[in-house]
Amino acid sequence: MTVERASETSHQLIGLPTLMTLAFNGQDLTPVADGLMQRIKVDPNDVYALMDMAIIFIMRGETKLAMSMKALALQNRQIYQYPRPAMPIKIRALMIAGPGDLMANSPFEFLIDQQPVALDILYVTPAMGLPRQVPEHDVLIVAVGESDSNLALLADLEAALANWPRPIINRPGRIMQLSRDASCALLSRIPQIAMPVALRTHRSTLEVCCQPQQHARSLATQLNGIDYPIIIRPVDSHAGQGLCKISTLSDLTGYLVNAPENDFFVSPFIDYRSADGLFRKYRILLMSGKPYLCHLAISQRWMVHYLNADMLDNATHRAEEAQCMTDFDDTLARRHAKAFSAIYEQLGLDYVGLDCAETRDGRLLIFEADSNMVVHNMDPADKFPYKKVQMPKLFHAFTQMLAQRSGMNL
């Protein structure tokens, strides 16, 4: 369905960054949700209310209901105008997104915060391709992320965008190479980095190891030499969902009993503790090959996520992160300059996130390369004043990249 047939509305999106920031800061979204539901009762085709309500339902864990609302909205409208900034517009960007949940698309909306960018979001599905007419734009951004469910859509987009008349950020065919096993195959050949093998395997292969002794096979036999301890996670899982360290056969048996999925990625566990016994994980963005530090998470636990890394309550850790951001270009970025350059060359993506660390022998340890990583400025200023300096610099760099690809001077 083309944009011309979409129902007109005076409303606009509240948008993912605003809604997530409210939730992140502990504010009750009930009044917002009540207002949106009232709008939907008055006008069941209020597509902007449906899309915002879908975000709230996802954050509440009601994903099935959220996807129903989103599907209803997309039946009526493909293109959504994102709230315009209160400043003169210098770049018009069109972002192509898919129909899935919050992890299905790159959240580029966060990156245009307080930037002179007008953003329109065009949703496509395997059954609903590009419309005949799209808004005028200076640059096209592909936000559809790599996943099993998005592969067909990305393949369709790769063909559809072959002769697109505007510059494109992140070609779909390149995004398709970001699966854990494919990206590992590309990046593990770089001498300056360490990236554990990511082997995709089926439940049945792992269950053979859990059979009675006379019928069981060793893990290494089943997994091409990968042996305990291992890291296992369901395919297409993110943010630590279903991620577990397995050290024994008993651990593996218990994991499979409780895991409903059938397909998994398995990797050897690498102990990346620093000399002080703490684990440090960096989130770095490569934009046109240049690295930018988004955060440094420091934890006593091997499974490091920023929200579980005690950063909020540990002033010492925050001080280290602040110093790391200040010195990044002269320390981590310089130490691994060859690695970052090689990653950019191998992946061929204008924008990609890296979750990474450093090995004890000084190499860059890559856990994941993904275009969908959340990069935000939601952390409270009283605890993280240094981020209120760092993140706008990163957002400005994103805008500069859009301008450069469009042939503009800001």
Side-chain angles (χ1 to χ4, degrees):
M1 183 176 293
T2 65
V3 67
E4 292 85 3
R5 296 176 60 188
S7 60
E8 295 300 324
T9 175
S10 60
H11 295 295
Q12 64 178 4
L13 290 173
I14 299 173
L16 175 62
T18 297
L19 291 170
M20 187 171 285
T21 299
L22 290 172
F24 190 84
N25 292 326
Q27 296 191 37
D28 184 7
L29 290 180
T30 301
V32 179
D34 289 346
L36 292 171
M37 291 303 296
Q38 183 59 37
R39 282 170 49 186
I40 294 169
K41 288 180 181 178
V42 172
D43 178 8
N45 292 318
D46 185 339
V47 292
Y48 282 82
L50 287 167
M51 293 296 275
D52 282 329
M53 197 64 226
I55 293 173
I56 292 176
F57 276 128
I58 290 174
M59 291 192 294
R60 289 177 174 176
E62 300 179 65
T63 304
K64 187 174 182 179
L65 182 55
M67 292 300 95
S68 296
M69 284 198 156
K70 194 169 186 178
L72 180 60
L74 295 182
Q75 288 174 12
N76 289 280
R77 190 177 187 92
Q78 271 188 269
I79 300 172
Y80 293 78
Q81 185 181 100
Y82 195 75
R84 299 310 195 221
M87 62 181 68
I89 299 298
K90 296 185 178 180
I91 300 173
R92 299 166 301 174
L94 178 63
M95 184 175 91
I96 296 182
D101 62 18
L102 299 187
M103 300 301 296
N105 299 293
S106 307
F108 288 111
E109 301 98 309
F110 284 96
L111 299 179
I112 63 168
D113 180 49
Q114 301 300 310
Q115 298 296 313
V117 179
L119 180 67
D120 291 300
I121 305 175
L122 164 60
Y123 286 91
V124 294
T125 72
M128 181 176 64
L130 299 173
R132 292 183 179 179
Q133 293 188 7
V134 298
E136 278 294 331
H137 57 285
D138 305 304
V139 61
L140 180 73
I141 307 170
V142 180
V144 181
E146 187 283 324
S147 67
D148 278 11
S149 58
N150 277 345
L151 285 181
L153 180 57
L154 286 166
D156 290 345
L157 285 172
E158 177 67 13
L161 299 177
N163 298 307
W164 198 256
R166 298 289 184 270
I168 298 175
I169 300 295
N170 281 6
R171 287 276 177 180
R174 294 289 186 172
I175 296 172
M176 293 172 70
Q177 299 179 89
L178 290 178
S179 65
R180 293 183 187 275
D181 49 351
S183 61
C184 178
L186 284 171
L187 300 183
S188 60
R189 66 186 69 170
I190 300 172
Q192 295 84 8
I193 76 166
M195 191 170 186
V197 172
L199 179 68
R200 182 166 177 156
T201 188
H202 192 266
R203 167 184 290 274
S204 59
T205 300
L206 298 170
E207 287 177 341
V208 171
C209 304
C210 306
Q211 297 294 319
Q213 190 63 38
Q214 63 269 28
H215 300 294
R217 293 188 180 183
S218 71
L219 188 71
T221 299
Q222 289 298 99
L223 301 183
N224 298 333
I226 298 175
D227 210 344
Y228 302 112
I230 61 170
I231 300 297
I232 188 170
R233 73 184 80 214
V235 169
D236 288 344
S237 68
H238 296 278
Q241 184 176 5
L243 175 63
C244 192
K245 178 184 175 185
I246 303 293
S247 299
T248 65
L249 175 59
S250 177
D251 291 345
L252 178 62
T253 303
Y255 180 87
L256 293 175
V257 167
N258 292 297
E261 297 86 2
N262 287 317
D263 295 290
F264 304 91
F265 280 118
V266 176
S267 299
F269 173 75
I270 293 181
D271 188 346
Y272 62 100
R273 276 177 293 188
S274 303
D276 61 1
L278 297 176
F279 294 92
R280 289 169 170 82
K281 189 172 81 171
Y282 304 86
R283 174 158 293 182
I284 293 172
L285 280 185
L286 289 185
M287 289 190 282
S288 296
K290 179 175 172 56
Y292 296 86
L293 180 62
C294 304
H295 68 231
L296 163 61
I298 306 167
S299 177
Q300 295 181 349
R301 297 176 288 271
W302 69 266
M303 191 194 305
V304 183
H305 297 286
Y306 200 81
L307 294 179
N308 75 7
D310 305 322
M311 300 300 291
L312 186 64
D313 299 321
N314 193 313
T316 301
H317 289 179
R318 294 198 304 276
E320 181 177 337
E321 182 183 38
Q323 192 64 49
C324 186
M325 286 185 167
T326 299
D327 300 337
F328 178 73
D329 288 342
D330 295 322
T331 55
L332 196 76
R334 179 170 294 178
R335 286 200 299 274
H336 301 293
K338 290 184 179 179
F340 290 131
S341 178
I343 291 169
Y344 176 58
E345 182 178 347
Q346 286 291 332
L347 296 181
L349 287 162
D350 307 284
Y351 174 99
V352 66
L354 304 172
D355 276 346
C356 55
E358 290 184 288
T359 63
R360 293 175 179 176
D361 63 1
R363 288 179 295 165
L364 188 68
L365 174 62
I366 304 293
F367 300 115
E368 182 179 9
D370 197 349
S371 61
N372 281 22
M373 294 178 182
V374 177
V375 178
H376 63 80
N377 196 18
M378 297 188 294
D379 295 295
D382 60 331
K383 292 281 190 177
F384 302 90
Y386 52 92
K387 289 193 175 181
K388 302 306 176 183
V389 177
Q390 174 74 4
M391 301 315 291
K393 289 181 181 178
L394 190 151
F395 299 166
H396 180 67
F398 178 74
T399 302
Q400 289 281 7
M401 181 181 71
L402 298 183
Q404 289 168 4
R405 291 300 305 277
S406 305
M408 297 180 177
N409 292 316
L410 292 184

